[in-house]
Amino acid sequence: MEQYRANLLICAGTGCVASGSLKVKQALEEEIIKQNLQNEIKIVLTGCNGFCAQGPLMVVYPEGIFYQRLTPENIPFLVEEHFLKGRPVESLMYTPPAEKKVIPAMCDIPFFNLQVLRALRNRGLIDAEQIDEYIARDGYLGAAKALLEMTPEEIIQEMKDSGLRGRGGAGFPTGIKWEFCAKAKGEIKYILCNGDEGDPGAFMDRSVLEADPHAVLEGMVIGAKAIGAHQGYLYVRAEYPLAIERLEIAITQAREYGLLGKNILGSGFDFDLEIYQGAGAFVCGEETALMTSIEGKRGMPRPRPPFPAHKGLWQKPTVLNNVETLANIPQIILQGGKWYASLGTEKSKGTKVFALTGAINNIGLIEVPMGIPLRQIIYDIGGGIPNKRKFKAVQMGGPSGGCIPEALLDTPVDYESITQTGAIMGSGGMVVMDETTCMVGIAKFFLEFTQEESCGKCVPCRIGTKVMLDKLEDICAGKGQEGDIELLEDLAQDIKDASLCGLGQTAPNPVLTTIKYFRDEYEAHIKEKRCPAHSCLALLKFEVIPDLCKMCGVCAKDCPVEAIKWEKKQVAVIDKEKCIKCKTCITSCKFMAIE
Amino acid sequence: MIWHIKIDEILSSYKDRSDLIPILQRLQEKMGWLSTPVLQRIEEKTGLSGAEIFGVATFYAQFRFKPQGKNLIKVCHGTACHVSGVEKIEEALRQELAVKGDEPTDDGLFSLERIACLGCCALAPVIMINKKCYGKLEPNKIQKVIKDYK
């Protein structure tokens, strides 16, 4: 292998590509040839680095210097300074919010150094399209050990020792699931990967598939051996074209290397995989619906039992694991279940990947040990709330989850503790909301989603969610009545009790948690016809609150129709004749002084 | 007819029921949308009933039963995009292109579609044109983004 003086790792995840990382790469290549450095410097495209908000990103090794927000224009300067003169460029490095000093090395940035990488251990380090790079990082060693040295029982025991629980949200122990399926009678069995990541606000699976597709394939090979399956399917949503492309490349390469197909590594074990593209139905993330969909039917859930471990795809014993779960498996086999279980809490072992988004400074993908308090995620890793706004809630678990308020921020992240708050661990979406987000509005937003995505099989879910949505729309439009909150609570309980699958059983959670923790906001909407977050259009008066106005004039400057009169040291006044109710002033005002 | 030859080629890969959705996906990619004659041809070639085929196709959000514009704009309505004001982006897009509902523009260049989540939450608000993502949008950036497709 050739040796280079420096390796430049450019992030080519969906986020950075959208921010222009491929143009940055091209500019770098041209500049490096121009400076005749092509034999000294190597450029590598990697999967998602995680710190998506700062993209396009590049990490320079051996020093580990982290460059952010690169553009093709600043490349010539960067190459000359850093690679010719040996002076890393501070102006392109990361500065934490509210600080002035830059942090050059990636490992010193709080966003990165509080994380523990297991499922994402290869992120930003390898080229996802080169199987050799995965193998160089101990790739397929776990599969080799499982196929050549272990019996199915030993694999399952290792998984049970690890305490790994399904990362798709429900948290069922993976080892026990495998054991059920391994013991089920039948010649033909299947292992499936659930990559139908439909939760709005979640992108963990996409990042894992884009950054380290072989880890998922290897996890499936090990699972196949454990349960005795010879065919697997990867169900990935069609909205993730880059993930599908990388998976296709990975499967082709694995076949060429004899890591998929007949007689893998000479073990006598056959296993192959196919990709199945989801066609855009959220309910297909539910295991029985996903199987019905692969069978070519409307993706509707089936009653359980029989459980898929006995009668799954085409009525054959089937295991379905989430992308992140599978990515953890090779290391568990290689390093042992006990090693994995050494991290985490009593009942939730290992790490969990979260997509941290919304009103937070460090948006991106993080992997943290189970048991870490939410506060540490939001303030230390996430860097707190931008624009000097106040934290209001963190939404976990997407449309099946709930909003956790400030008072519960010391809750440790594990399955049981999060469930106690009324939210769920879910697949890992973590959307932070500040004081400008209306809690009734957010409940309405999620219910719109579940209403639309309800498959229609169960009446309580199909009609119940519609009635709840109508009520929430009324409340946001200022037509709420006494008794609405109680009606919502009643309906929610009925829908939870009487729906067949997880979608219906959890659909009311966003409404229930917002009522539980933010009942005053509901009451303000209903009784006072006022939206405390100044967000529901029908309840806005477009008036300045004199006591809160700091007379800064930002609203007047930003108003697109010059409807706001303001003079120095005077409270702004909105001319309602001219006002077009675009809410620009409300967004601009940092003091919540316009209602 | 030419279009028959094109779709028969795709239909020839049909072996069993589990091929139905992949075939619908490939037909839509080729034709842009699923018209009644195309659905009828599937019926003839596969032996599945028209109701079964239509039932499956209408269940999934991906399938369209109206012609679409040359460029498909997907507007993300995920949580992060919602919180960061994607409604205003969609409004600006609709105004700029004069699109109503899911009808294509008069010149046939664009259609607009609302999507649950594109999974690029770090770049919210996000839209995707064909297979390319555009992030951190503001209403006044819209004109520049769509200029490339005109």
Side-chain angles (χ1 to χ4, degrees), chain A residues 190-192 220 229-234 271-275:
Chain A
Y190 297 104
I191 182 162
L192 312 180
M220 287 184 82
H230 300 289
Q231 177 65 41
Y233 292 92
L234 286 141
F271 179 67
D272 213 338
L273 273 171
E274 262 176 59
I275 298 174

Side-chain angles (χ1 to χ4, degrees), chain A residues 61 64 84 92 146 172 183 239 270 304-305 319 377 393 429 434 476 499 501 546 554 586:
Chain A
Y61 285 98
L84 283 179
L92 297 170
F172 193 81
K183 286 185 177 163
E239 283 89 347
D270 305 337
R304 295 176 299 182
V319 155
I377 295 184
D434 65 18
C476 288
S499 298
C501 83
V554 168
I586 291 178

Side-chain angles (χ1 to χ4, degrees), chain A residues 327-444:
Chain A
N328 271 305
I329 289 167
Q331 289 303 305
I332 292 177
I333 295 301
L334 202 57
Q335 309 205 40
K338 292 207 174 66
W339 162 81
Y340 191 81
S342 63
L343 210 60
T345 64
E346 193 196 335
K347 287 183 175 165
S348 305
K349 301 294 185 192
T351 58
K352 176 78 193 89
V353 180
F354 289 103
L356 191 59
T357 65
I360 189 137
N361 277 312
N362 300 342
I363 294 176
L365 196 76
I366 58 165
E367 182 169 0
V368 290
M370 289 280 190
I372 186 174
L374 279 170
R375 190 181 298 280
Q376 208 179 349
I377 295 184
I378 288 163
Y379 287 97
D380 298 340
I381 298 177
I385 317 299
N387 304 323
K388 294 185 182 162
R389 299 258 190 217
K390 278 195 216 100
F391 171 87
K392 187 184 235 174
V394 53
Q395 210 282 345
M396 281 183 75
S400 311
C403 294
I404 300 172
E406 166 121 53
L408 295 177
L409 270 188
D410 291 313
T411 307
V413 171
D414 65 58
Y415 288 95
E416 280 73 23
S417 307
I418 298 295
T419 307
Q420 255 177 21
T421 68
I424 59 163
M425 179 80 99
S427 57
M430 209 180 246
V431 185
V432 180
M433 293 159 192
D434 65 18
E435 55 194 333
T436 63
T437 304
C438 169
M439 288 294 120
V440 187
I442 208 74
K444 181 174 79 121

